[in-house]
Amino acid sequence: MTTGDRVFADTMAELTWNEAELAAKRGAVVLWAFGVVEQHGPHLPTGTDFLLPSARLRRVKKTLSERGIESVIVPPYYWGVNHSSASFPASFKVRPEIMIELVCDVLSSLAGDGFRRVFCVTGHGDATHNRAIHTAAKRSAEKEGIDISFLAEEGLIKRLQIDIADPNVTIYRGPQASPPPKFPDIHAGRGETAAMLEFFPDLVRHQKLADLNPVDFTMEQLTEWRRGYDFSRRLTPLGYVGNPSQARLDDGIRDNEATVLAMVNAIEARVRASAA
């Protein structure tokens, strides 16, 4: 059986309880990917938002180990808040208050097992979804007395109007397109498609890509799209925003490597600073 055949490859679900207990006693940090199951156009699977951060965290774990930092990965969270794709089939919706309570319960379980540091990583852009992650991290850190942070790009934290100096936030700076993309690339566009071409090429509907025209939004249209439900489906009947037909494997490899390195550096800096 290969890694790709295992539902929760390289996560805690594949550890025995003894192994998890020993990892906690050794001070292993916890990595947790958050996403949703939602439509990603006619060319990407509905699991894209949790598949990508999960794949990246497997590389993060390996690189951290090479730097002397042990980590374990929690199985991905994929029942999240979904506005933009809510009117499409196979796009599941969970109320934010339910998500927050569930995440807090899982974090409480990890604290009870002896883990003292958790990094939560998002693969989904919905603002309410990501505020729920931060709220749960903050609430659980205060309750459990452990270090829990939302590991995210600076631009996302600012869009969420969260203070970048918030103690429950760890900032990393991901890859920047040069030159900047002509089209807003925010959902199932060039970036996500390129990333999937590296990690999960067999899940990309390659035959669909050439026929996908770019979806270019004005700021007014983007604001309307973010209202979600029928508003977004009317503006994007095929479900994507950006230019997926321009996705290239080389771009996906480069961006994935840069993202993983940025996350590793941010995690290492936080771990080393607390140990100093």
Side-chain angles (χ1 to χ4, degrees):
M1 181 180 290
T2 66
T3 298
D5 295 328
R6 306 195 318 257
V7 175
F8 295 126
D10 296 331
T11 72
M12 291 178 70
E14 296 191 332
L15 300 179
T16 67
W17 71 264
N18 313 79
E19 291 165 342
E21 182 177 61
L22 290 173
K25 288 180 178 179
R26 290 191 298 266
V29 303
V30 175
L31 310 173
W32 196 3
F34 285 76
V36 293
V37 178
E38 65 162 346
Q39 72 80 20
H40 269 73
H43 60 295
L44 294 181
T46 58
T48 294
D49 280 353
F50 71 84
L51 288 169
L52 285 179
S54 295
R56 289 174 180 143
L57 285 186
R58 287 193 285 271
R59 289 188 181 174
V60 167
K61 178 182 177 181
K62 181 177 183 295
T63 306
L64 285 174
S65 178
E66 293 167 354
R67 299 187 184 188
I69 298 174
E70 183 179 0
S71 61
V72 297
I73 301 175
V74 177
Y77 181 96
Y78 45 83
W79 300 121
V81 180
N82 185 357
H83 292 305
S84 295
S85 296
S87 288
F88 287 85
S91 299
F92 295 91
K93 285 78 69 179
V94 172
R95 288 166 288 162
E97 61 270 23
I98 299 299
M99 176 178 172
I100 290 169
E101 291 297 331
L102 176 55
V103 173
C104 284
D105 281 353
V106 175
L107 291 170
S108 178
S109 297
L110 291 167
D113 290 342
F115 292 100
R116 312 307 297 168
R117 191 184 305 277
V118 183
F119 292 93
C120 302
V121 178
T122 187
H124 179 46
D126 185 280
T128 304
H129 174 91
N130 288 307
R131 290 192 187 101
I133 297 172
H134 176 255
T135 297
K138 196 169 198 65
R139 187 180 299 176
S140 295
E142 294 171 354
K143 177 184 176 184
E144 307 297 340
I146 66 174
D147 183 28
I148 307 172
S149 65
F150 184 20
L151 175 64
E153 292 187 86
E154 183 174 359
L156 174 60
I157 295 301
K158 289 180 177 179
R159 180 163 69 87
L160 298 176
Q161 299 182 325
I162 298 172
D163 187 347
I164 61 173
D166 187 294
N168 300 110
V169 166
T170 300
I171 297 293
Y172 73 88
R173 291 172 175 82
Q176 301 298 315
S178 181
K182 179 181 178 182
F183 303 97
D185 190 62
I186 56 176
H187 185 69
R190 179 175 181 174
E192 278 190 309
T193 304
M196 288 292 288
L197 286 174
E198 182 195 2
F199 284 130
F200 304 99
D202 56 321
L203 295 180
V204 178
R205 277 57 171 181
H206 299 263
Q207 71 279 10
K208 298 281 189 180
L209 284 175
D211 296 328
L212 298 180
N213 295 318
V215 174
D216 186 13
F217 274 175
T218 63
M219 287 306 298
E220 290 76 13
Q221 287 173 313
L222 181 58
T223 299
E224 182 79 354
W225 181 80
R226 283 180 168 152
R227 294 177 67 184
Y229 291 84
D230 291 342
F231 296 99
S232 58
R233 186 163 187 177
R234 176 177 56 80
L235 286 170
T236 55
L238 292 181
Y240 64 92
V241 182
N243 195 6
S245 67
Q246 294 299 306
R248 299 292 180 266
L249 173 60
D250 288 349
D251 293 335
I253 293 172
R254 183 195 65 236
D255 290 351
N256 285 329
E257 288 180 350
T259 300
V260 167
L261 180 60
M263 289 195 291
V264 168
N265 288 340
I267 292 171
E268 181 179 26
R270 189 171 182 118
V271 171
R272 303 296 186 204
S274 67

